[in-house]
Amino acid sequence: MTESLSATEPALASTSAYLVEPLPELWFGLVVATFGVYLLLDGFDFGVGVLFAEADETERRRFLAAFGPLWKANEVWLVLFGTVLFAGFPAAYAAILGRYYLAVFALLLALGLRGLGSKFRGERDDERWVRFWDRCFVVGSAAAPFLLGAFAASWALGEPSVVAVVPLLAGAATVALVTALGAAFLCAKLESPIRERLVRRGRAATAAYAALGTVTLVASVIRYPALRSEIQSVPMGGLCIGTIACAGVAVAAATGNRYRSFAVATAGLAVAFAAFIGVLLYPAIDPATGTTVADAVAAPLSLNLTTGFAVVFLPLIGSYFVVLYSLFDDPASDSGQYQHG
């Protein structure tokens, strides 16, 4: 698959060997990691959008104030996911995006709809106008994670379309997951009696995610008997146990008003979801065509050079998000301002 780096060749400019032998696997891990970070960070604000549906006007303004400074930055990770996939596995990128282009287009449409909804609702003081854009925001916030989950499951299982039983179940599970994430985020950000209702929604969404995730796994085994041994493997067993543990901690923490723990536990659910996708995929990068990581990885010269860029820029991007979330770490006030200090 890979050759050892020759002592006579410049490392980054080598045309015959990767910087380190497992560099293709490291890039596969980076693809899964960027997907997971996007699911986690945008999952929080997708969930806020889903919970927007039953909020009154005062609560909606507070919801928008709580996640307003953060949510558009989170979409950087969707761009980064596509960039890493393209840079590391260009042939797989072309095949996957070509196969699921309608789902990807619908995902971008849903993201646009929620962006327009949150922006335009405040542009006119007209009840029908506000109600219309609020509905757009809610629909976009629910449709985007549904499509993301259906796309991820189709990709990992090699389904040619997202319109199939297992991907649709995975999409529904993803909506439940982001609803739990949104409830946990708002509980940590808002200080008001609304927390009681958010806790109820968060607990129900966590239970729904666990139930839908179980149904999705069972349906996967029935639909793809070859997956039976993989799903019974040690890594998958560990992820199942981890998911159950995170769900239990999330429900207990929410019940006990420990909102930070509630948020961390639901974040663990998102991380486990991304890890499921990674374990199901590997060693393939595109199961629909049988293309493996080794088959689709970029040539040594381009991957070595791209790794050099990644080593410089990924820490900068990560640092930016650490600073951003640190700046807005405090609760949001009723007036829509963050209470720094």
Side-chain angles (χ1 to χ4, degrees):
M1 178 179 72
T2 58
E3 302 173 29
S4 300
L5 189 64
S6 168
T8 60
E9 285 184 298
L12 281 176
S14 173
T15 58
S16 60
Y18 295 109
L19 279 170
V20 292
E21 189 170 345
L23 193 60
E25 285 74 21
L26 291 174
W27 272 84
F28 174 78
L30 193 56
V31 169
V32 176
T34 51
F35 173 79
V37 174
Y38 174 66
L39 177 66
L40 170 61
L41 296 185
D42 235 7
F44 281 120
D45 56 63
F46 285 148
V48 173
V50 172
L51 293 165
F52 211 71
E54 62 174 2
D56 60 29
E57 179 58 25
T58 302
E59 292 169 346
R60 287 176 175 179
R61 288 180 181 172
R62 298 187 66 198
F63 285 11
L64 291 173
F67 83 148
L70 307 169
W71 72 300
K72 289 185 179 175
N74 293 337
E75 290 174 4
V76 165
W77 290 94
L78 179 61
V79 177
L80 201 55
F81 164 68
T83 303
V84 170
L85 181 60
F86 173 72
F89 308 95
Y93 173 90
I96 293 166
L97 269 292
R99 187 181 315 119
Y100 304 119
Y101 76 96
L102 284 177
V104 173
F105 181 76
L107 171 62
L108 296 177
L109 194 63
L111 292 175
L113 198 62
R114 67 195 303 268
L116 291 173
S118 66
K119 173 67 177 173
F120 285 166
R121 74 181 307 275
E123 295 298 317
R124 285 176 55 182
D125 187 16
D126 179 289
E127 187 178 342
R128 291 180 61 187
W129 171 272
V130 173
R131 191 162 58 241
F132 172 77
W133 288 112
D134 281 351
R135 286 172 179 165
C136 290
F137 182 64
V138 172
V139 169
S141 297
F146 180 83
L147 291 162
L148 188 67
F151 160 75
S154 301
W155 174 29
L157 295 169
E159 275 283 357
S161 167
V162 299
V163 186
V165 172
V166 176
L168 294 178
L169 284 170
T174 309
V175 174
L177 171 62
V178 302
T179 305
L181 285 166
F185 175 82
L186 289 173
C187 281
K189 287 292 180 185
L190 300 179
E191 295 177 335
S192 74
I194 193 179
R195 274 177 165 172
E196 193 174 320
R197 177 156 53 85
L198 291 171
V199 163
R200 289 199 300 273
R201 296 292 177 269
R203 286 189 308 221
T206 303
Y209 174 66
L212 285 166
T214 303
V215 172
T216 304
L217 274 181
V218 172
S220 299
V221 172
I222 294 172
R223 172 70 177 81
Y224 314 97
L227 283 179
R228 186 183 300 272
S229 60
E230 192 166 355
I231 287 178
Q232 292 174 343
S233 66
V234 172
M236 292 296 278
L239 288 171
C240 289
I241 293 171
T243 297
I244 293 168
C246 285
V249 171
V251 170
T255 305
N257 300 333
R258 296 189 299 277
Y259 303 119
R260 295 271 177 166
S261 300
F262 180 24
V264 170
T266 53
L269 293 175
V271 171
F273 184 99
F276 269 116
I277 299 300
V279 171
L280 276 176
L281 278 170
Y282 191 79
I285 185 72
D286 185 13
T289 59
T291 306
T292 66
V293 169
D295 295 332
V297 69
L301 176 60
S302 58
L303 198 65
N304 290 344
L305 291 173
T306 308
T307 301
F309 286 111
V311 167
V312 173
F313 286 106
L314 285 179
L316 290 176
I317 295 170
S319 300
Y320 165 74
F321 273 83
V322 170
V323 171
L324 179 67
Y325 274 81
S326 299
L327 281 175
F328 298 100
D329 184 50
D330 301 299
S333 70
D334 290 347
S335 62
Q337 301 296 320
Y338 268 83
Q339 304 166 13
H340 294 296

